[in-house]
Amino acid sequence: MSPIHEVVSLAQLLTEPQRHAMYHPWLRRRHLHLSHPDLRALTVFMADDAYRPDFLDPSPRTSEPTFEEGMEALLAAPADQTYAELVDATRGRGADMGRLLDDPERARSEAADALRRLWKSVVEPEWVGMRQALRAELLDRAIQVNREGLRAVLPRLHPSAACEDDTVIVEKPVDIDVDCPEGLVLVPSLFITDRVQCTTSDRWTPVIYYPASGRYLWAAPPTPRSLHRLLGVTRARILAALTTPLQTTAVAGLVHVSAPTASEHLAILREAGLVECSRAGRTAMYELTDAGHTLLAAASPRP
């Protein structure tokens, strides 16, 4: 996971909220916090289809880095990298953008300050829950890759991603070939929904950021009313939530019950054959069985 990427992606989302209707209730509830920080030094890089400098989004070096570790990597980006990426980000975008090249170090420092303000005001207060959702995603994908292999799992991350022979292909408007001698990092993101993002800087391990399946952490998915009558409101909500594999505590948070209560409902759904549990060490992950998926699909309103 990458805390700094979540902040960068949230800033991007704020420049184009019309593309992400699922976040509108969450954004409205946080309007006061979001309207306070000055983000112009960061959002200046986020015009539609414009290149966003890779130094803003350094590749994570561990599976669970801190925000401060990401900031250290951002601020340590070499001057030649910073300048070259600013050249690409400002090309063809007018004299005002071109002035950023007069002092690349300042442009980077001011963007970093804006990132920190957004982290402190909005993301950090909710990071515990966000981190939990990302942990569940990481564990679930690791289990899937272990069972089925990367070739089978990669297209599920996003339709634009695929694996051919020994090459990972991502459909993007630009054509870039990147060797991965030290591997390829896959990073789930809670704040991207309809695309994947790639970091291809020579300075860092290549990264593919993809939409995390648990991105509705702060707003549980709607539940078909027919399931309320069949299963009861709480179990129906749990069933709908488990379209994303989740741990017990994440389920409890989504449906607003205690962890023991969620565990009891999960046990009943498991006995009914609608939910299954898999373990990795001491961590238990719950997900829908084929029967659970079928029931949820059958109860959902037809378009």
Side-chain angles (χ1 to χ4, degrees):
M1 67 181 73
S2 173
I4 198 167
H5 175 80
E6 295 307 311
V7 185
V8 171
S9 294
L10 173 57
Q12 181 86 54
L13 185 156
L14 294 175
T15 68
E16 48 181 15
Q18 70 282 357
R19 292 186 59 173
H20 309 283
M22 63 173 288
Y23 294 104
H24 289 176
W26 186 82
L27 291 172
R28 284 194 294 269
R29 290 196 297 272
R30 285 145 188 86
H31 173 71
L32 291 177
H33 296 293
L34 287 166
S35 61
H36 175 67
D38 181 0
L39 306 178
R40 288 172 293 180
L42 177 61
T43 56
V44 69
F45 298 111
M46 296 178 178
D48 282 347
D49 298 323
Y51 166 70
R52 192 173 75 199
D54 283 343
F55 68 74
L56 290 175
D57 205 354
S59 303
R61 297 178 181 178
T62 63
S63 63
E64 194 171 324
T66 66
F67 175 77
E68 292 301 330
E69 288 171 337
M71 288 292 287
E72 288 174 8
L74 186 162
L75 294 171
D80 59 340
Q81 175 192 355
T82 301
Y83 181 79
E85 291 179 0
L86 283 175
V87 169
D88 289 340
T90 58
R91 184 177 290 116
R93 296 187 57 196
D96 287 343
M97 286 292 292
R99 291 192 185 97
L100 295 174
L101 298 176
D102 295 339
D103 193 343
E105 294 293 322
R106 179 179 177 181
R108 181 181 61 182
S109 177
E110 290 180 349
D113 289 343
L115 269 172
R116 189 180 298 280
R117 287 192 290 272
L118 188 55
W119 165 259
K120 288 291 185 183
S121 62
V122 181
V123 180
E124 186 179 36
E126 302 199 22
W127 181 244
V128 171
M130 293 179 180
R131 181 175 59 199
Q132 186 177 68
L134 291 169
R135 281 175 174 167
E137 170 77 18
L138 292 174
L139 179 60
D140 177 58
R141 297 301 185 185
I143 291 172
Q144 289 181 14
V145 170
N146 186 55
R147 290 174 179 168
E148 307 169 55
L150 180 62
R151 294 178 189 279
V153 174
L154 194 65
R156 297 181 202 159
L157 304 184
H158 193 268
S160 66
C163 201
E164 295 183 8
D165 299 325
D166 61 352
T167 302
V168 172
I169 298 174
V170 180
E171 295 179 9
K172 301 290 284 184
V174 294
D175 188 8
I176 300 175
D177 292 329
V178 181
D179 290 328
C180 303
E182 298 179 2
L184 172 69
V185 182
L186 302 177
V187 179
S189 175
L190 295 167
F191 286 115
I192 57 175
T193 59
D194 57 354
R195 69 189 87 176
V196 296
Q197 298 166 352
C198 301
T199 294
T200 56
S201 170
D202 293 337
R203 304 286 181 176
W204 294 315
T205 303
V207 178
I208 296 175
Y209 299 95
Y210 69 92
S213 54
R215 59 186 178 272
Y216 55 66
L217 171 71
W218 37 80
T223 310
R225 291 189 176 276
S226 57
L227 282 186
H228 290 184
R229 295 191 292 272
L230 179 66
L231 300 175
V233 173
T234 300
R235 282 196 282 275
R237 289 176 176 172
I238 290 175
L239 198 75
L242 287 178
T243 51
T244 294
L246 295 170
Q247 300 173 51
T248 304
T249 50
V251 171
L254 272 177
V255 301
H256 306 295
V257 298
S258 67
T261 299
S263 183
E264 181 179 345
H265 285 299
L266 285 165
I268 293 171
L269 291 169
R270 187 180 179 187
E271 290 173 7
L274 300 175
V275 166
E276 62 184 356
C277 177
S278 58
R279 289 188 174 273
R282 297 182 178 180
T283 303
M285 292 290 294
Y286 291 89
E287 58 186 307
L288 297 180
T289 61
D290 289 343
H293 280 290
T294 299
L295 177 60
L296 190 62
S300 299
R302 298 294 184 269

